[in-house]
Amino acid sequence: GENVEQHPSTLSVQEGDSAVIKCTYSDSASNYFPWYKQELGKRPQLIIDIRSNVGEKKDQRIAVTLNKTAKHFSLHITETQPEDSAVYFCAARAAGNKLTFGGGTRVLVKP
Amino acid sequence: NAGVTQTPKFQVLKTGQSMTLQCAQDMNHEYMSWYRQDPGMGLRLIHYSVGAGITDQGEVPNGYNVSRSTTEDFPLRLLSAAPSQTSVYFCASSRKVRGNTIYFGEGSWLTVV
């Protein structure tokens, strides 16, 4: 089955700096890669996603890149703000609409 | 349109007890699934369904049963609760279209003592 590795597990950045989280996946059949933000005690919230026919997608301060050949994708957050502090999860979806999650990255934005 | 609704939100069980976590969605989604999230970890797939009458196992199915008698409902049954099943459980749903957005319920916090 699919295996998703996520790095780093924790990330501390200064407010205004950029944050980058990287994920790799194992199943070349995976075709959908969402990123979720989860605040303490809340459900995962979709923040951006990318499909396998696209290499990059941007939404304001958030961007995601996908390299299908290398089977890795990354989340980029620019101009970080304290409200960006949360746990971020990458995921990959292959056959049967099953979503496999990475282990999560705890991001702390220091003011 | 309530989205994905889970009940109960909090539950404490004694070891060996059984219970059912309820999940309902009003978006006419074909796909529904259950995940568990242990403290400080990612979500792991327990069971999923691609439509009424069809269910399959995910990554961690042992100790859990599911059924899908209607499109709207996808209950998760704990047969004989164990402390290792203490976790937060999330139900999710999506359309059958490939690459479609997955919507999560608010979660059910389960403690087994």
Side-chain angles (χ1 to χ4, degrees), chain B residues 3-64:
Chain B
V4 180
T5 303
Q6 289 182 233
T7 57
K9 192 168 179 67
F10 300 98
Q11 182 72 50
V12 179
L13 283 180
K14 294 183 180 178
T15 296
Q17 286 185 319
S18 62
M19 79 156 297
T20 299
L21 298 177
Q22 302 291 345
C23 177
Q25 52 91 10
D26 60 359
M27 298 174 281
N28 203 31
H29 285 172
E30 296 90 349
Y31 287 171
M32 296 187 74
S33 50
W34 277 102
Y35 294 85
R36 61 175 287 174
Q37 184 176 31
D38 298 329
M41 297 184 67
L43 286 79
R44 292 183 293 168
L45 182 65
I46 305 171
H47 285 286
Y48 67 101
S49 169
V50 299
I54 305 170
T55 64
D56 205 346
Q57 296 182 348
E59 183 184 352
V60 288
N62 292 340
Y64 307 94

Side-chain angles (χ1 to χ4, degrees), chain A residues 2-111:
Chain A
E2 175 66 277
N3 183 49
V4 178
E5 302 278 344
Q6 182 173 347
H7 298 281
S9 57
T10 60
L11 181 60
S12 182
V13 297
Q14 208 66 37
E15 182 178 357
D17 288 349
S18 295
V20 180
I21 304 170
K22 298 182 179 181
C23 289
T24 60
Y25 62 99
S26 61
D27 189 346
S28 56
S30 289
N31 63 358
Y32 175 65
F33 307 91
W35 285 88
Y36 290 87
K37 176 183 180 181
Q38 188 177 33
E39 297 174 342
L40 191 63
K42 300 291 181 70
R43 76 184 99 185
Q45 296 277 8
L46 180 70
I47 55 172
I48 195 166
D49 57 13
I50 191 166
R51 289 162 175 77
S52 58
N53 59 346
V54 175
E56 185 174 356
K57 183 177 179 180
K58 188 173 182 180
D59 182 5
Q60 298 183 349
R61 296 186 297 108
I62 294 174
V64 58
T65 59
L66 171 65
N67 183 327
K68 285 194 299 181
T69 304
K71 286 192 257 183
H72 68 70
F73 56 113
S74 300
L75 177 72
H76 304 253
I77 306 174
T78 59
E79 301 172 21
T80 53
Q81 301 168 5
E83 53 264 36
D84 294 328
S85 296
V87 179
Y88 292 80
F89 292 97
C90 64
R93 187 160 72 185
N97 219 43
K98 292 185 290 184
L99 205 58
T100 302
F101 284 82
T105 298
R106 185 173 299 277
V107 174
L108 175 63
V109 180
K110 295 182 286 186

